[in-house]
Amino acid sequence: MKHVILGTAGHIDHGKTALIKALTGIDTDRLKEEKLRGITIELGFASLLLPSGQMVGVIDVPGHERFVKNMVAGAATVDIVALVIAADEGVMPQTREHLEICRLLQVKKGLVVLTKMDLVDEEWLDLVREDIHEFIQGTFLEEALVIPVSSMTLEGFDTLLAELDRICATVEEKARVGVFRLPVDRVFTMKGFGTVVTGTSISGSIRVGDPVSVYPGAVTAKIRGLQVHGREVEEASAGLRTAVNLQGLDKETIERGDVLATADSLRTSRRLDVHLQLLSSVSKPLKNRTRVRFHTGTAELFAEVILLENDELRPGETAFAQLIVDPPTAVLPHDRYVIRSYSPVHTIGGGEILAAAPPRHKRRRPDVLHRLEIFRTGAPADVIAALVEQAGESGLSRVELAKMVAFPKKTLDSELQKMQTDRLILQYAKEPPVYMHSRVFEALKQAVAEALDQYHRKYPLRPGMNKEALKSQTAKQVDSRLFNFLIGALQADGILRIEQDVVHLSGHQVLLKEEEEQFREKLEKTYLKAGLAPPYFKELQDSVPPSVMREVLSHLVAAKILVKVKEDLYFHGGPLEELRAKLVSYLKERGEITTQEFKELTGVSRKYTIPLFEYFDGQQVTMRVGEKRVLRSQK
């Protein structure tokens, strides 16, 4: 059977609660204070069995202006609204505000119930009915029936029930796939059961035993039991008034406004990208950085409105904005919201959430506004592409992407596969899958190629750039998996080559000028002749600039002719290799060697023996034990 929620709306004392009691037999005013004051303060709940057999969940809302925040919490999940107007008073201030809230929340179906018909004559009833028809022109209730009833005599109730049955047949079934979400409107403790939360589920489904998270705190729990319309069930799905018995959570950790959801399925954020409509009925423009009261689901938060296009929004206009909310919240794209002025409090606008947990935006940026338009009207593939591109060099994992879109897992995976086939995005990691937009990837490739080209121009005698240095310069924020994938792609394209962690462009060749070649030969002979007592860099005497000298030395190291033992100290590879063989032979024969013995073995002073000892330690030839060295085990 289809799941339908009926909600009331209307001014205080217009008979909403009495109407629900007459329809269902349930008095939804359950609080002692409500009984004493004779007004509805909190949301009330009931169930109604229509003549067709359709079961309808009912939410009764308060009509007093002080409790409009509770009304918004109730209206957020209704499919059909019954706008209740008393025949003896007609349209009143909260009638107007409640209807505006329903319009902002995009309630699409409803009817007008003209209560207390027994208190007026037929002529007055006709006048009020005419006034109501004028009032609802241009709204979603424009074609709705206006049904006079009396909750005392039940006159008109047959017509009302028949119309509710007719409207219910036109309500679209809510999606039972995707993330389960239930905005919490009540939290209480039942003896012998523990913590219970209630609300109207808006998407997905859950079963007894399922793990869940409560946002924005993202605390986890397990479903101990479920009730729908007072009946225990094993599964609850979208569109049902549901009571959830939670195992592992205290009542104090949850409050109205929280969202019960599939475990680890949402992101909590202080920033939201939105499409905002300012009501034409407000008296003045909304200025940038105005502080407002923000309502979504059953939550009331404070928010600062950052207008992204202009400095103010005039009555009746729409715009893109970013809201900074306090405390944080957890929502999904296409959720509806309402904003009310900070003080005095009245409804001023609302609209659609476009992105949860977006980055901070600079105002008046065409690329940002274009992306938000995609979020508002784009197809799933366009939305995914925009989100992945927005993530930039960080990429976006499949897990995080699923928390940022409102469509089902099957749709997401199908679109991701097709977009990879079309090369719009690429997957550079498997567990978990991480994606990057092709334009961002191509820009990264270009940056790496340009960095290598500049390096080759600056250091023409070096074979290339160290891989880690290249990453630090061009892709510092990129993780190692992506950088390796990037280098691999550039290698596959024939743009670069990598040899022992040294990266260079494929066309790069080390070519020495005639004078540099002559100097290279001279340096090589100098170090070969010096043997194990080579000059330190500052001791080299020549007419070439120090920078050129260093480059030629680096060239000789890259060519494996010289070995850099420590900063500014180089040895020719020949004598150094001979010393290695001598040292290994000595240690195999004697087992250990002291510094003095090593000095005698080399025939050079301590200014060389200490660096050489440390070099062989670093090369895993020797190992220091106390004041001696021993041969490191060779595998």
Side-chain angles (χ1 to χ4, degrees):
M1 183 177 291
K2 189 183 298 182
H3 303 154
V4 180
I5 300 295
L6 169 68
T8 62
H11 198 75
I12 185 174
D13 202 30
H14 276 209
K16 296 184 293 299
T17 304
L19 175 69
I20 298 306
K21 186 175 182 180
L23 281 170
T24 67
I26 299 171
D27 184 357
T28 54
D29 282 350
R30 65 185 188 280
L31 302 179
K32 183 178 179 180
E33 186 181 358
E34 291 176 319
K35 302 293 187 185
L36 289 173
R37 297 175 63 180
I39 63 171
T40 300
I41 297 171
E42 279 288 355
L43 297 175
F45 308 101
S47 56
L48 170 63
L49 183 63
L50 293 174
S52 66
Q54 172 70 54
M55 181 65 76
V56 176
V58 181
I59 301 177
D60 184 31
V61 305
H64 195 286
E65 63 179 339
R66 286 179 55 195
F67 307 119
V68 170
K69 66 177 184 179
N70 295 344
M71 180 272 167
V72 177
T77 56
V78 305
D79 302 297
I80 304 170
V81 65
L83 182 63
V84 177
I85 302 175
D88 59 339
E89 288 194 337
V91 175
M92 297 291 283
Q94 259 51 63
T95 315
R96 297 181 184 278
E97 186 170 20
H98 283 205
L99 182 58
E100 285 181 329
I101 289 168
C102 290
R103 292 174 68 183
L104 290 168
L105 293 174
Q106 283 200 341
V107 178
K108 294 183 171 63
K109 299 181 185 296
L111 71 167
V112 180
V113 183
L114 188 54
T115 57
K116 304 185 182 183
M117 65 176 294
D118 53 303
L119 300 183
V120 300
D121 58 30
E122 192 65 36
E123 184 179 355
W124 180 263
L125 198 62
D126 288 340
L127 288 173
V128 175
R129 188 187 281 115
E130 185 178 333
D131 185 44
I132 290 171
H133 279 296
E134 184 178 338
F135 168 62
I136 61 178
Q137 287 297 307
T139 75
F140 68 97
L141 292 177
E142 186 172 15
E143 301 297 326
L145 289 186
V146 178
I147 303 174
V149 301
S150 169
S151 298
M152 299 296 292
T153 67
L154 303 188
E155 184 178 355
F157 270 53
D158 288 343
T159 304
L160 174 59
L161 289 169
E163 180 62 7
L164 285 173
D165 244 337
R166 186 195 68 79
I167 297 174
C168 282
T170 68
V171 172
E172 293 182 8
E173 186 74 51
K174 289 185 176 68
R176 302 189 186 190
V177 296
V179 174
F180 175 83
R181 290 193 295 156
L182 181 143
V184 175
D185 51 41
R186 288 182 65 202
V187 187
F188 54 92
T189 301
M190 286 187 67
K191 189 174 181 179
F193 291 91
T195 303
V196 177
V197 301
T198 68
T200 303
S201 51
I202 56 178
S203 64
S205 63
I206 51 168
R207 295 184 62 84
V208 173
D210 284 352
V212 289
S213 296
V214 180
Y215 294 92
V219 292
T220 59
K222 197 172 185 178
I223 303 297
R224 183 177 180 181
L226 294 169
Q227 280 194 358
V228 173
H229 298 308
R231 183 169 54 88
E232 290 191 7
V233 296
E234 285 295 311
E235 182 178 11
S237 56
L240 292 172
R241 283 294 308 167
T242 306
V244 185
N245 182 199
L246 295 173
Q247 179 181 331
L249 279 186
D250 295 330
K251 173 179 177 289
E252 289 70 28
T253 61
I254 313 172
E255 59 186 8
R256 173 190 281 180
D258 288 350
V259 178
L260 181 73
T262 304
D264 193 29
S265 60
L266 302 177
R267 299 179 76 185
T268 298
S269 175
R270 291 185 180 273
R271 291 184 183 273
L272 305 172
D273 286 341
V274 302
H275 189 250
L276 170 62
Q277 175 189 357
L278 191 65
L279 291 173
S280 57
S281 58
V282 301
S283 59
K284 60 183 181 180
L286 179 72
K287 295 187 180 299
N288 183 47
R289 292 200 171 275
T290 296
R291 189 166 170 79
V292 298
R293 298 170 188 268
F294 170 79
H295 300 259
T296 186
T298 56
E300 180 192 29
L301 315 169
F302 293 109
E304 183 180 6
V305 182
I306 309 297
L307 297 174
L308 297 176
E309 298 175 76
N310 298 300
D311 291 330
E312 65 176 28
L313 184 64
R314 291 179 292 188
E317 291 184 339
T318 62
F320 291 119
Q322 184 166 92
L323 303 182
I324 304 173
V325 297
D326 183 28
T329 187
V331 296
L332 282 177
H334 308 306
D335 286 355
R336 303 296 300 184
Y337 71 94
V338 170
I339 59 171
R340 308 187 76 219
S341 54
Y342 185 75
S343 181
V345 183
H346 57 272
T347 302
I348 59 174
E352 179 183 13
I353 293 170
L354 303 179
R360 182 178 180 178
H361 300 312
K362 289 185 178 179
R363 301 175 65 223
R364 298 186 176 90
R365 285 280 299 269
D367 58 324
V368 171
L369 299 176
H370 175 67
R371 188 178 299 121
L372 293 181
E373 183 60 36
I374 291 173
F375 292 161
R376 190 169 79 92
T377 62
D382 299 323
V383 172
I384 293 169
L387 286 169
V388 174
E389 187 168 22
Q390 180 178 261
E393 295 180 1
S394 299
L396 199 57
S397 73
R398 165 66 178 76
V399 173
E400 288 304 305
L401 187 55
K403 298 177 183 179
M404 300 168 72
V405 295
F407 34 85
K409 175 182 182 297
K410 186 176 180 181
T411 302
L412 175 60
D413 289 338
S414 174
E415 294 293 346
L416 285 171
Q417 186 59 52
K418 185 174 184 300
M419 293 169 73
Q420 289 180 80
T421 302
D422 295 340
R423 305 181 74 84
L424 292 174
I425 61 173
L426 54 91
Q427 179 181 337
Y428 68 82
K430 291 185 178 181
E431 293 298 333
V434 185
Y435 304 94
M436 174 169 282
H437 198 283
S438 58
R439 279 197 290 267
V440 176
F441 189 68
E442 290 301 318
L444 268 176
K445 287 169 64 177
Q446 183 67 27
V448 169
E450 288 177 358
L452 283 174
D453 182 63
Q454 292 174 10
Y455 188 85
H456 292 329
R457 292 175 186 274
K458 187 175 181 179
Y459 304 109
L461 301 186
R462 298 184 187 179
M465 195 173 186
N466 177 270
K467 188 177 175 182
E468 283 303 312
L470 179 62
K471 179 181 184 301
S472 178
Q473 182 173 324
T474 60
K476 197 171 184 178
Q477 304 305 317
V478 167
D479 69 30
S480 298
R481 294 174 302 170
L482 172 56
F483 187 70
N484 290 333
F485 185 85
L486 179 67
I487 294 298
L490 286 164
Q491 282 182 287
D493 292 344
I495 294 172
L496 58 78
R497 294 179 63 186
I498 180 167
E499 298 171 13
Q500 295 183 338
D501 277 348
V502 174
V503 188
H504 63 86
L505 293 176
S506 295
H508 175 65
Q509 288 184 326
V510 177
L511 298 174
L512 277 66
K513 298 174 185 176
E514 184 177 348
E515 60 271 23
E516 291 171 339
E517 178 61 36
Q518 292 173 356
F519 182 56
R520 186 199 72 79
E521 291 177 0
K522 183 178 179 182
L523 270 180
E524 182 180 350
K525 290 177 181 177
T526 297
Y527 277 95
L528 180 60
K529 183 178 180 181
L532 297 178
Y536 275 72
F537 181 80
K538 62 184 179 181
E539 296 171 342
L540 289 170
Q541 299 293 325
D542 213 287
S543 58
V544 300
S547 58
V548 175
M549 192 179 297
R550 285 194 183 277
E551 286 304 301
V552 175
L553 283 170
S554 295
H555 170 69
L556 288 166
V557 171
K560 300 189 183 328
I561 295 170
L562 298 187
V563 176
K564 186 175 182 179
V565 168
K566 61 174 285 188
E567 192 62 35
D568 288 348
L569 180 60
Y570 301 81
F571 285 78
H572 194 283
L576 196 62
E577 191 56 38
E578 290 176 8
L579 176 60
R580 178 198 295 262
K582 273 187 185 182
L583 179 59
V584 170
S585 177
Y586 185 98
L587 290 171
K588 283 182 177 179
E589 181 180 339
R590 305 194 184 187
E592 59 186 27
I593 188 170
T594 64
T595 303
Q596 181 59 36
E597 289 167 341
F598 185 61
K599 181 174 178 294
E600 293 170 0
L601 183 69
T602 60
V604 294
S605 67
R606 285 179 62 88
K607 83 171 186 177
Y608 296 110
T609 55
I610 299 302
L612 284 168
F613 247 163
E614 292 172 350
Y615 169 75
F616 286 125
D617 289 345
Q619 292 293 305
Q620 308 294 302
V621 175
T622 56
M623 179 172 62
R624 184 169 181 171
V625 178
E627 296 301 318
K628 300 177 182 179
R629 257 71 173 190
V630 298
L631 188 65
R632 189 179 289 270
S633 60
Q634 304 295 312
K635 294 183 181 180

